Amino acid sequence: MTKNLDQLLNSRLSLNNMGDKDIRTRAQEFQKLIQLTSELEAYPYFQALDDNQGAEAVLNGQRVIMMGSNNYLGLTTHPKVREAAIKAIETYGTSMTGSRLLNGTLSLHEEFEEEIADFLGKEAALIFTTGYQVNIGTITALTDPNTTVFLDKLNHASMWDAVSMSAARPVFYKHLDAESLGKSLEKTPADRQKIVVTDGIFSMEGDIAPLPEIVKVCQKHKALLIVDDAHAIGTLGPRGEGAAGHFGLSKEVDLITATFSKALASTGGYVAGDSDLINYIKHFGRSMIFSASITPSNLAAARAAFHILQEEPERVRQVQKNAEKLKNGLVEMGWDVGPSETPIIPIFLGDDLTTLTLWKELLNAGVYINPVVYPAVPPDKALLRISTIASHNDSHIQQALDAFQVVGERYHLLQKQASNALG
Ligand code: PMP
């Protein structure tokens, strides 16, 4: 299986060089590839769960420990969150059937926006239907042909997509490197508008943006700073308020974007900042204006989760503690987990074959994690992404560690990471 899979994985790369083929031919080739990968039981996507109760799920009849979700505070099944969603359906029905701009705003949106702004120490907030749309709407609204947007190389796709949909010029700086950002800002003509965009916690690597240094260079070059706290709301900062709060820089970060689809147990998202900027995005953010409003049930679920975050800040400590325990165990065994200090723990393996093989072995052992392979990362930068949640107990963590020990020994991966061990 290993040899066949290796050949198959390599043949994927040729799909990229089919510029001369029409889309039907490409799609047929791609389908064949997916079929063969599935036959080798190495197709990791669209795994249909039979049940999902937070810390545990059921896949193909097998109970698995869920370490591949972003349900950081374990709130998707919390009785108060469920109840809020059900009550919202009973009160408002199932859909707003229109944009926020027209018929899609409830007083519930506005009350929740005020609460979010207060919590983050900002003047105003604006709720969108998804976190992806938050970044698209925010960045496209604020930019024009005279704008340069500076992005960390490993920013989430939503920020890349936003810039490519805008008229702005993108400039990428080295991952987590404020000096590299400073140099790029320095080279940009003073009369151009400058916007810097970074993840607060990086979604695959779990590392934290160095906001104190980034704020300093932004202030020096009069650049507007946007921090995407999708993974940091609920997991970082004294009250779980995100990366800006973690560094005590809520005022200095101009705009904070985030999603409800992770710690806040729903879907949707928000941008928070000065009221004039928020009002501008509210009237020029096309991904909000031209898309239906978040459903009442999603809105109410996120708000209930947001209240629990404030009432039970110990959940933030718990998810951090669980991550630390798992990470320490993995490091002791000899896995390369990089500099993550968050509930996202990457295991850097390098090649896709090793990554997919380990993903499957761990799944068979009852541990659900995400393989991150090409094209999500370059062909030699594959990793396993593990994420902990507050409702994992010691036994879940120990079972996961035991499974990692077994596969690590089986493939001689402990201590000598990312050396193409199966090749
Ligand atoms: N930003 C980041 C950093 C993310 O990781 C994600 C989701 N993976 C998003 C934005 C998009 O959020 P949503 O899933 O709510 O659209």
Side-chain angles (χ1 to χ4, degrees), residues 148 197 220 294 403 406:
T148 304
V197 193
K220 181 172 171 200
I294 179 174
V406 170

Side-chain angles (χ1 to χ4, degrees), residues 70 129-135 155-159 199-204 228-231 257-262 266-269 385:
N70 299 307
T129 308
T130 67
Y132 183 86
Q133 286 170 278
V134 173
N135 284 334
N155 272 357
H156 185 258
S158 53
M159 288 164 263
D199 286 33
I201 292 178
F202 285 82
S203 53
M204 295 296 141
D228 178 346
D229 262 346
H231 295 271
T257 66
T259 173
F260 297 152
S261 69
K262 305 183 193 304
S266 183
T267 60
R385 179 190 188 273

Side-chain angles (χ1 to χ4, degrees), residues 338-407:
S340 164
E341 307 163 61
T342 67
I344 301 167
I345 306 171
I347 294 198
F348 296 102
L349 292 165
D351 70 288
D352 291 0
L353 177 62
T354 309
T355 304
L356 286 174
T357 305
L358 260 60
W359 158 74
K360 188 69 194 169
E361 295 255 352
L362 288 160
L363 192 58
N364 288 342
V367 182
Y368 189 110
I369 52 173
N370 293 307
V372 184
V373 297
Y374 176 85
V377 287
D380 57 343
K381 295 267 187 277
L383 58 94
L384 291 173
R385 179 190 188 273
I386 313 169
S387 47
T388 55
I389 64 183
S391 46
H392 283 138
N393 58 33
D394 286 350
S395 159
H396 291 131
I397 292 172
Q398 195 51 54
Q399 282 177 62
L401 286 172
D402 292 345
F404 271 97
Q405 181 81 46
V406 170
V407 296

Side-chain angles (χ1 to χ4, degrees), residues 92-114:
Y92 304 106
T94 51
S95 168
M96 295 307 297
T97 67
S99 160
R100 290 281 320 264
L101 186 78
L102 300 172
N103 59 310
T105 296
L106 292 165
S107 46
L108 195 62
H109 286 87
E110 295 182 338
E111 287 159 20
F112 190 13
E113 283 168 348
E114 272 183 38

Side-chain angles (χ1 to χ4, degrees), residues 226-241:
I226 305 177
V227 173
D228 178 346
D229 262 346
H231 295 271
I233 176 75
T235 68
L236 203 60
R239 298 174 296 132
E241 67 273 56

Side-chain angles (χ1 to χ4, degrees), residues 86-357:
I86 291 166
K87 201 161 158 234
I89 291 179
E90 285 169 356
T91 311
Y92 304 106
T94 51
S95 168
M96 295 307 297
T97 67
S99 160
R100 290 281 320 264
L101 186 78
L102 300 172
N103 59 310
T105 296
L106 292 165
S107 46
L108 195 62
H109 286 87
E110 295 182 338
E111 287 159 20
F112 190 13
E113 283 168 348
E114 272 183 38
E115 290 173 3
I116 291 169
D118 279 354
F119 182 67
L120 298 175
K122 291 294 185 195
E123 286 176 6
L126 180 65
I127 291 174
F128 285 64
T129 308
T130 67
Y132 183 86
Q133 286 170 278
V134 173
N135 284 334
I136 302 289
T138 299
I139 293 170
T140 54
L142 299 180
T143 48
D144 61 12
N146 190 43
T147 307
T148 304
V149 181
F150 301 82
L151 303 112
D152 184 295
K153 259 185 152 167
L154 297 187
N155 272 357
H156 185 258
S158 53
M159 288 164 263
W160 293 52
D161 291 356
V163 181
S164 60
M165 285 168 80
S166 79
R169 185 188 303 160
V171 169
F172 296 96
Y173 61 90
K174 278 193 212 153
H175 182 48
L176 302 180
D177 192 336
E179 206 179 306
S180 154
L181 167 63
K183 281 186 191 149
S184 300
L185 281 162
E186 193 85 53
K187 280 192 229 148
T188 307
D191 61 352
R192 284 188 71 78
Q193 175 179 230
K194 302 173 190 77
I195 298 183
V196 174
V197 193
T198 179
D199 286 33
I201 292 178
F202 285 82
S203 53
M204 295 296 141
E205 297 75 17
D207 42 13
I208 304 172
L211 292 185
E213 291 80 15
I214 290 178
V215 162
K216 225 179 268 170
V217 288
C218 285
Q219 287 176 343
K220 181 172 171 200
H221 295 280
K222 298 193 171 48
L224 189 95
L225 175 58
I226 305 177
V227 173
D228 178 346
D229 262 346
H231 295 271
I233 176 75
T235 68
L236 203 60
R239 298 174 296 132
E241 67 273 56
H246 170 72
F247 289 110
L249 291 169
S250 301
K251 291 270 174 294
E252 288 77 3
V253 172
D254 297 293
L255 290 169
I256 300 171
T257 66
T259 173
F260 297 152
S261 69
K262 305 183 193 304
L264 297 180
S266 183
T267 60
Y270 60 82
V271 54
D274 289 348
S275 56
D276 51 354
L277 285 179
I278 297 300
N279 188 49
Y280 194 81
I281 297 164
K282 195 169 179 175
H283 292 89
F284 292 95
R286 293 168 66 87
S287 61
M288 188 196 63
I289 294 171
F290 295 105
S291 185
S293 171
I294 179 174
T295 65
S297 53
N298 283 124
L299 186 65
R303 192 178 181 203
F306 180 71
H307 291 166
I308 296 171
L309 165 65
Q310 289 163 87
E311 288 154 13
E312 302 174 23
E314 61 275 14
R315 284 178 183 268
V316 182
R317 298 285 91 72
Q318 190 58 45
V319 68
Q320 291 168 346
K321 259 169 62 187
N322 287 351
E324 252 171 60
K325 204 175 286 174
L326 188 64
K327 186 183 151 179
N328 291 343
L330 290 167
V331 170
E332 253 170 54
M333 267 178 225
W335 293 99
D336 173 12
V337 303
S340 164
E341 307 163 61
T342 67
I344 301 167
I345 306 171
I347 294 198
F348 296 102
L349 292 165
D351 70 288
D352 291 0
L353 177 62
T354 309
T355 304
L356 286 174
T357 305

